[in-house]
Structures are given as C-alpha cells and as structure tokens.
Amino acid sequence: MNHRWNAFIYKCWAPIYDFFFNRGFFYTARKKVFDHIDVSEESKVLFVGVGTGVDLAFFPLDKINVVAIDYSTHMLKRAKQKYPHIEFIQMDAQDLSSFPNQSFDMVVASLIISVVPDPKKVMVEMVRVTKRGGRILIFDKFASQKPSIVKRIVRPFIKLLGTDIGVSFENIYEIVKYECRFVEDTPVMMQGMYRKIILEKV
C-alpha cells in the first residue's frame, strides 16, 4: 500500500464506489454500524477517509459540526456534490497535524484503516485529536488471529484493488491501549471479518 497507488486506484473507484459499496449488504452493514449512534448536538465530528460521503447520510448533519477528510481528491469531489455545506479537506489520515490535540468529540473511521500505508499512524493520530471522553467509531475489515491459507495467498492481489485484508486491529490497538478503552466490538458481516469498533479516550 502506498499513496501513489492509492491515489490512482481511488480515482478509478470514485465514479463507481457508491454502486458497489452503498447498496445491498454493504448498505445494510453501514446502517447496522451507524444507526442509533449517540452524537450530542453541537458535537465536533471528524470523518477520516470520508470517501464519497456515503456515511454522512446516517448522521444529523444539521445538529453537529462536521469536518471530513480524504486523501483522494476524486472521492472528495463526489462527496462535495452531495453535501456542499460540509467542510471537506484533502488530507493524509496518517498526518492530522492541521488539527490540535483533543479537537473532536468523535472521530469516524469507515473503511480507512485497511487502506492506508501505515494503520498505526492513523490510529495514533485519531486518538490524539479526540477529546478525553470522546469516542472513535471504526468500521472496517480486520484479519483474524489465524488467517486462512487462502486469505494469505490472495492478500497481495486484493491489495492491488486498494485495500488490505491482513490488517490486525489487535496489533494496531496495542500502540494506543493506555489512551483509550473498548466500548464495543461487534461483528458486522462476512463472519466477523468486518467489525464495528467503538473506543473511548480516557
């Protein structure tokens, strides 16, 4: 995984992303993840890797303050067409230095940790910009502790599509385990490969 390849592959994905990932079982999964999310009015919420903005539809945008970032300008262009009033910023999720420590009440990371070159950097940055007592909501695919031979074989080929099926959340969490705690860890689809994870910063 590298930025140059990601920029290219998500330029290709942008026109068709919603067709594949915002309908059918993916839409059902998103609805399961984001329905009944507790977001207080006036909360400041950061969407990391917002893509084409498909997750924004599940949030009360008129009652919260949203900032949304993505590395792909082509994905952001699609999102801006849907939500012209939202603040969208082209930014690397591995480097959120434009935001001070404890800037956001909630950080939403949907299908981003498994696509970046360095997932640990993303996790560290998300925790850094989250306020104490704030929450980080993650929806993504993660490897099991003992991935099958088939998954190990196909992993390099799937990476060419812009995502990694071999990322272990447990390994990523190790680097921030003293800064946040698990609130929820729920399997969402594909036999638990896709998970809804909520962390609270302590």
Side-chain angles (χ1 to χ4, degrees):
M1 310 294 289
N2 63 72
H3 279 323
R4 181 174 295 181
W5 179 252
N6 278 356
F8 168 74
I9 200 68
Y10 283 99
K11 177 181 178 180
C12 298
W13 272 118
I16 58 174
Y17 185 88
D18 287 8
F19 179 83
F20 285 99
F21 297 106
N22 197 31
R23 58 192 299 170
F25 61 87
F26 261 103
Y27 177 82
T28 301
R30 289 180 189 276
K31 188 173 176 60
K32 181 178 180 180
V33 169
F34 296 115
D35 265 7
H36 310 300
I37 291 296
D38 184 19
V39 187
S40 301
E41 287 193 26
E42 303 302 322
S43 290
K44 193 169 184 180
V45 182
L46 173 65
F47 287 79
V48 179
V50 71
T52 61
V54 294
D55 299 327
L56 294 172
F58 298 98
F59 286 79
L61 301 180
D62 58 330
K63 297 179 181 179
I64 59 177
N65 301 304
V66 170
V67 179
I69 72 162
D70 202 280
Y71 190 75
S72 169
T73 56
H74 294 85
M75 299 288 269
L76 285 177
K77 182 178 179 181
R78 296 276 172 172
K80 287 178 182 179
Q81 291 172 348
K82 300 175 189 173
Y83 300 100
H85 60 293
I86 296 294
E87 181 181 5
F88 293 100
I89 305 172
Q90 194 279 328
M91 188 180 294
D92 181 356
Q94 300 170 130
D95 179 10
L96 304 178
S97 56
S98 296
F99 304 127
N101 295 350
Q102 301 191 57
S103 295
F104 298 94
D105 300 290
M106 176 177 282
V107 174
V108 179
S110 180
L111 304 180
I112 180 66
I113 293 177
S114 61
V115 308
V116 295
D118 192 334
K120 289 184 177 180
K121 284 185 178 180
V122 176
M123 180 58 67
V124 168
E125 282 291 85
M126 291 195 302
V127 172
R128 181 185 66 80
V129 301
T130 302
K131 296 178 182 178
R132 286 190 175 88
R135 294 191 170 187
I136 301 168
L137 169 59
I138 298 165
F139 169 49
D140 219 319
K141 54 190 166 299
F142 296 108
S144 61
Q145 294 298 316
K146 294 182 179 180
S148 68
I149 294 175
V150 173
K151 285 185 178 180
R152 291 200 295 268
I153 292 172
V154 302
R155 182 183 181 189
F157 300 100
I158 292 179
K159 276 188 175 183
L160 295 176
L161 299 176
T163 191
D164 187 354
I165 61 171
V167 176
S168 165
F169 185 78
E170 285 66 31
N171 288 344
I172 296 169
Y173 180 69
E174 277 294 309
I175 201 168
V176 296
K177 65 181 180 180
Y178 298 113
E179 299 179 76
C180 50
R181 67 178 185 87
F182 272 93
V183 174
E184 182 179 345
D185 185 357
T186 303
V188 176
M189 66 178 187
M190 293 188 180
Q191 297 181 321
M193 180 178 180
Y194 284 81
R195 293 155 64 183
K196 172 187 178 181
I197 297 170
I198 298 178
L199 305 175
E200 182 175 275
K201 186 170 179 179
V202 298

